[in-house]
Structure formats: C-alpha cells, structure tokens
Amino acid sequence: MIDGLVAGKLYGRPVERVGKGGKPFAVARVRASSGEGEPLFVNVIAFDAAPAAALWALEDGDSVALAGSLTPRVWTDKQGNTRPSLDMVAHQVLTAYQVAHKRYAMDPDGARAQDDEAAPGPWNGE
C-alpha cells in the first residue's frame, strides 16, 4: 500500500453506491496531471462518511485534493497504448469550499476585509 496525496479536477459527478451491509460509499474519478503533463486518471472510492459527503457535494470539474492509499494500475486505450492510472481509497478530501470555510473559522470578524479590494467570501460578509 502506498499513502499518497492527489490533486486534480473531478471527471464526472461522484456516485453514491451502497455496500452489501447497507452502508453508502462514494465513487469518483479525478483527472490529475502526471510529471510529464499527461492526464492521469485516479479512480477514487471513499467508505468513511466525511470524505464521501465531501465528494457528493462536488460537481464535474470541481477542484479537489485527496489523501489516501494508492494502488498503481495500467489500462489500454482504443489505439492499444498502455496508460497509467491509480486506484485510491480516500481517507481525507479537501475542497475549495472547505478552504474558505476554514479561513472564515479562523477569522469570523472579517479582519481580512480591511480594504476595498478584499476577495469576496464568507470571511468578509459576502
């Protein structure tokens, strides 16, 4: 097992599925970039409630960062070329919404909004 961090954009909407025991889990695909700039698809599954709920709240194309255990895979495209992919069991999910929410929690009085050019967001009352 490899512990890893992956950041990218959702490729399609996350799907809610139900396991044999009746417990829901999330399945998603994330498009990340490899070191050479080629797209790398990460097949994500989240069994814990918090990461699953974070994934279900996202839409196609939303940015996301994930932490969890990785398994490398290889698949063959229609032209017969082998391509890398990863399977991830996500333990943590970080989204842009959560970043804004944490900033607001750290500064609820809006001290960031001291000038007129402050970025809009919950931390400055907008």
Side-chain angles (χ1 to χ4, degrees):
M1 171 184 11
I2 303 168
D3 285 338
L5 300 171
V6 173
K9 294 190 180 280
L10 276 179
Y11 188 78
R13 286 216 62 212
V15 177
E16 180 177 355
R17 299 217 176 127
V18 179
K20 292 180 182 178
K23 185 176 177 185
F25 61 93
V27 176
R29 291 190 72 188
V30 173
R31 185 176 183 201
S33 292
S34 68
E36 294 84 39
E38 289 198 26
L40 174 68
F41 286 97
V42 182
N43 302 305
V44 179
I45 190 165
F47 295 108
D48 295 335
L55 286 171
W56 292 325
L58 298 175
E59 300 286 333
D60 179 32
D62 284 348
S63 294
V64 64
L66 306 146
S69 53
L70 293 168
T71 303
R73 302 273 186 217
V74 176
W75 62 280
T76 305
D77 66 14
K78 293 178 182 177
Q79 291 78 30
N81 301 319
T82 57
R83 304 224 181 242
S85 71
L86 293 170
D87 289 348
M88 173 181 260
V89 177
H91 301 294
Q92 291 282 1
V93 176
L94 181 64
T95 67
Y97 167 78
Q98 290 168 315
V99 170
H101 183 73
K102 287 183 181 193
R103 284 183 183 160
Y104 177 72
M106 296 299 294
D107 190 12
D109 296 329
R112 296 176 191 270
Q114 295 298 319
D115 61 355
D116 293 336
E117 297 178 345
W123 53 85
N124 66 6
E126 295 180 20

